[in-house]
Amino acid sequence: MATITEAFDLALDHQRSGRLAEAEAIYHRILGAVPDHPSALHLLGLIAHQRGQGEMALGLIGRAIARQPDYPEAHNDLGLVLQTAGRTGEAVGHYRLAIAARPDDAAALFNLGTALATLKRPEEAVDAFRRVVALRPRDADAWFSLGVALREQALLEEAATAFYAAIAADPGQARFHNDLGNVLHALGQAEAAADCYRLALILAPDHAEAHSNLGNALQTLNRPEEALAAYRAALRLRPDFAEAHNNLGTVLDRLGEVDQAIAAYRRSIALDPDCAEVHGSLALALLLTGEFADGWEEYEWRWRLAEARPRTFDEPRWRGEPLGDRTLLVWAEQGLGDTLQFARYLPLIEGRAHHIVFEVQRPLVRLLRSWFGDRVVTAGDDLPPFDVQIPLLSLPRLLGTDLATIPGPLAGLGADPQAVRAWKTRLGESRPGETRALRVGLAWAGNPGNIRDRRRSLPFAHLERLLDIPGVAFYSFQFGERAGDPEALRPGAVADFAGDIADFAEEAAALACMDLVVTVDTVVAHLAGSLGVPVWIMLPFVPDWRWLKGRDDSPWYPTARLIRQPARGDWDAVVAQVDADLRRLVASNGASNTLLPLPPLQGGEGLGEGGAKLPRWYRVG
């Protein structure tokens, strides 16, 4: 007759070979002879776990531990059963007990790390996985899990090192290459990331995530057509891949296929209704096409974006109801240009809110006080008492703005007359009957922190040809790190005001002395347009939503003319148009140097040779 030890060894051999019924029968015979045999209870519980009988497994392994508390294997397996049941916090306790009994238990350490990662405790997970790879330097899964946990802490260089180690241990795993690509892309190494995704796809051609991630890297590398193909490949494999539909929308948007982009965003939202990023992208695409009603609604999702920092107030959000004697706070929420553009809405709400406090960025305070007086307060300073509040860019939705009802810029907003006189004196006034040079303000770059800045800004070298136009004096309204660009190419050709302009009130006075402003899509465009100064705005192929599609005027700024890239990245064509039109202006320059906007062109009126539109400006005597 077999001993208990021999029977147990036979049962264990059956279990390891997958013969669970035979093993189970022997464990029950052992328990018949030795009730509460810890190992038999433990391994019977493990069989129950393998069969998906979680409650039975918990009971059996729990009995084993009650009989033998210092049983590391049982603690580890009970942790696995608990984790499978979603009781991950309890599992952590049992993994730790297993490790306390046997500190070099790599399996328990790995399970502990996995549980801690599930609980969003990446620092502790990293510690556990580091101990595993110290014990098992060739454990590819442990290196990979370490990389994931490091990535969760934004320790990207260390994560890349861990992923490289995982690949060295097991180069045939597509997911290792894919995740390394994600980290390299986040580190700004898009080309290397693309190579990783391609390796993943060689190993697993049906890896939809790798196709989509390759598309992301190709977008970063400014290869949108290839990115488009990658996203479509991902969606052929997984038609319900919400993220890939969003990515497809992004690249279609970039290629100017905005209607198709909107369809892709809507499909992504149908699959994942709560993804704020997609709602935000859809909002901008709808606004670009002039679909304001839906666009403003979607735009409210901006507060749920990961990068958003919504203000928290005890005071409620204003919903448009009459306020009587209560005070409304309207607060600027985005860039300086946005504040200038949307300040026009405050006069429209004065009938509903007699007491308004307008919080704006410090550089705009003096300028906007010229219109709103002491109702303007500075962002960052203590706020006066108020009863309700609303972010500035939510006013268009509240007021039901569509293309036909866009309010004009603030009537009467202007530069301080004394400051304007000082600038005119500095610039030099022409005598009656004399013709002076055309004064043209220039700005060629926006805030580099803006996500779209690479597309909307251009190297000053593109503008250098303008400096050869006779009869034009150029003045720089470029601030920040790009202000010195002209000096690097042609010193002294562009007068630089930056050192003498402290805020937007002073800049407004200087702009008011210009005959024309030529700028990219930056705050200078909004300030010139708000002041009624003629402004030519050079736009990328797919511009920011506020400039809409396919038109050379702006319903936001009557004195603005929009000059768009005819193809993606084609700044040369834009500058060539500016060059030709400036030369026409100089040629038509008479005794007066005041440029006024013409009324909108009717039919073919105002067309030059070949149907090209001439500048919408004329001179008056």
Side-chain angles (χ1 to χ4, degrees):
M1 183 175 180
T3 65
I4 294 293
T5 300
E6 291 170 337
F8 186 83
D9 289 342
L10 178 61
L12 191 58
D13 181 64
H14 283 312
Q15 188 169 1
R16 287 171 176 166
S17 300
R19 299 185 294 272
L20 301 185
E22 291 87 340
E24 183 179 30
I26 296 173
Y27 290 139
H28 279 298
R29 288 200 296 273
I30 292 172
L31 289 171
V34 184
D36 289 337
H37 187 287
S39 296
L41 288 168
H42 166 218
L43 294 173
L44 265 177
L46 201 55
I47 289 174
H49 175 59
Q50 290 173 279
R51 288 174 171 167
Q53 299 168 324
E55 288 301 319
M56 181 181 292
L58 288 173
L60 289 165
I61 300 175
R63 285 173 58 192
I65 291 172
R67 183 72 176 81
Q68 184 179 326
D70 59 342
Y71 191 168
E73 295 89 351
H75 280 293
N76 181 55
D77 287 338
L78 184 57
L80 287 172
V81 175
L82 288 165
Q83 195 166 350
T84 301
R87 296 161 61 179
T88 307
E90 296 174 65
V92 165
H94 285 281
Y95 294 142
R96 292 197 189 281
L97 288 170
I99 295 163
R102 191 161 57 196
D104 292 341
D105 189 338
L109 282 165
F110 182 85
N111 293 336
L112 174 63
T114 301
L116 291 167
T118 300
L119 294 171
K120 305 298 182 185
R121 291 156 61 179
E123 292 184 13
E124 297 172 79
V126 163
D127 179 67
F129 290 131
R130 286 195 194 281
R131 291 173 65 183
V132 176
V133 297
L135 292 166
R136 296 179 179 173
R138 298 293 297 171
D139 188 329
D141 287 332
W143 279 113
F144 177 74
S145 297
L146 174 60
V148 172
L150 288 164
R151 184 182 62 203
E152 288 297 308
Q153 295 183 76
L155 299 172
L156 300 182
E157 292 87 353
E158 294 180 59
T161 299
F163 288 138
Y164 278 122
I167 290 168
D170 186 357
Q173 294 292 324
R175 63 192 176 111
F176 294 177
H177 295 279
N178 179 69
D179 280 43
L180 174 60
N182 290 341
V183 168
L184 293 176
H185 194 187
L187 286 168
Q189 301 175 36
E191 194 69 67
D195 288 340
C196 289
Y197 300 134
R198 292 188 184 99
L199 282 169
L201 291 168
I202 290 171
L203 294 166
D206 59 350
H207 197 310
E209 289 82 359
H211 281 289
S212 185
N213 291 335
L214 175 59
N216 294 341
L218 291 167
Q219 280 221 66
T220 300
L221 293 168
N222 199 27
R223 289 149 64 179
E225 292 84 1
E226 295 175 66
L228 184 65
Y231 295 139
R232 284 178 169 158
L235 290 168
R236 281 194 295 272
L237 292 164
R238 273 185 53 191
D240 62 347
F241 191 175
E243 184 179 339
H245 282 288
N246 177 40
N247 293 338
L248 176 65
T250 301
V251 74
L252 287 166
D253 200 336
R254 186 172 178 183
L255 290 168
E257 302 292 343
V258 184
D259 291 336
Q260 292 184 51
I262 288 172
Y265 294 141
R266 291 196 186 281
R267 177 60 179 153
S268 181
I269 290 169
L271 294 164
D272 184 7
D274 295 324
C275 183
E277 178 187 352
V278 190
H279 283 282
S281 298
L282 175 60
L284 298 181
L286 290 167
L287 293 170
L288 178 64
T289 60
E291 296 182 46
F292 281 7
D294 289 343
W296 298 129
E297 289 295 330
E298 293 289 339
Y299 199 51
E300 289 300 304
W301 280 81
R302 66 193 183 277
W303 301 116
R304 305 191 198 182
L305 294 170
E307 65 271 19
R309 295 180 176 86
R311 299 275 292 274
T312 55
F313 295 101
D314 293 331
E315 295 79 3
R317 174 81 169 264
W318 185 46
R319 304 298 175 186
E321 71 278 7
L323 293 176
D325 289 333
R326 289 183 294 164
T327 298
L328 168 66
L329 169 69
V330 180
W331 47 280
E333 57 177 277
Q334 298 186 30
L336 298 168
D338 298 285
T339 303
L340 286 171
Q341 180 180 356
F342 290 94
R344 68 188 69 202
Y345 281 92
L346 267 74
L348 301 183
I349 62 174
E350 288 184 327
R352 308 187 203 185
H354 300 297
H355 303 291
I356 298 175
V357 175
F358 188 22
E359 184 195 50
V360 306
Q361 301 92 331
R362 187 174 299 276
L364 291 173
V365 169
R366 192 158 67 98
L367 174 66
L368 290 174
R369 278 183 179 165
S370 70
W371 177 263
F372 297 109
D374 59 7
R375 291 183 293 176
V376 174
V377 299
T378 306
D381 290 353
D382 291 337
L383 286 166
F386 60 94
D387 301 292
V388 291
Q389 51 78 28
I390 191 169
L392 178 61
L393 272 69
S394 289
L395 291 177
R397 170 182 171 273
L398 190 71
L399 297 175
T401 298
D402 57 25
L403 281 175
T405 59
I406 291 175
L410 289 169
L413 178 68
D416 176 63
Q418 185 175 348
V420 173
R421 285 194 296 271
W423 277 102
K424 285 184 175 180
T425 299
R426 174 177 176 177
L427 295 171
E429 285 297 298
S430 57
R431 296 176 181 175
E434 291 183 343
T435 300
R436 59 165 170 78
L438 192 73
R439 293 176 184 154
V440 177
L442 285 180
W444 54 92
N447 178 1
N450 187 298
I451 193 170
R452 292 176 175 262
D453 191 61
R454 188 176 65 175
R455 278 186 257 169
R456 69 173 180 173
S457 296
L458 75 160
F460 184 82
H462 285 279
L463 298 176
E464 189 179 15
R465 63 184 289 176
L466 302 181
L467 306 183
D468 295 325
I469 301 175
V472 179
F474 290 101
Y475 300 87
S476 172
F477 286 85
Q478 181 65 49
F479 298 88
E481 61 189 50
R482 298 286 302 276
D485 288 0
E487 289 298 305
L489 291 172
R490 198 177 298 190
V494 179
D496 185 2
F497 291 160
D500 301 317
I501 294 178
D503 63 7
F504 280 88
E506 193 66 32
E507 186 172 350
L511 278 173
C513 298
M514 297 293 108
D515 298 310
L516 174 67
V517 175
V518 178
T519 178
V520 294
D521 174 15
T522 185
V523 65
V524 175
H526 294 282
L527 183 56
S530 297
L531 296 169
V533 174
V535 55
W536 295 354
I537 305 172
M538 301 178 289
L539 296 176
F541 182 59
V542 180
D544 188 72
W545 69 266
R546 70 201 75 216
W547 308 119
L548 301 167
K549 287 177 59 181
R551 53 191 298 168
D552 60 6
D553 66 337
S554 169
W556 297 98
Y557 299 112
T559 61
R561 177 187 173 208
L562 310 180
I563 305 176
R564 301 172 182 268
Q565 289 180 348
R568 184 168 48 86
D570 190 359
W571 285 119
D572 287 335
V574 171
V575 177
Q577 184 67 56
V578 172
D579 183 295
D581 293 347
L582 274 177
R583 291 180 186 275
R584 291 190 184 100
L585 280 180
V586 172
S588 66
N589 191 15
S592 171
N593 291 281
T594 301
L595 290 170
L596 297 177
L598 282 172
L601 296 177
Q602 301 297 323
E605 180 184 349
L607 299 181
E609 295 181 6
K613 289 184 179 180
L614 296 176
R616 294 182 179 181
W617 313 105
Y618 70 100
R619 295 192 172 277
V620 295

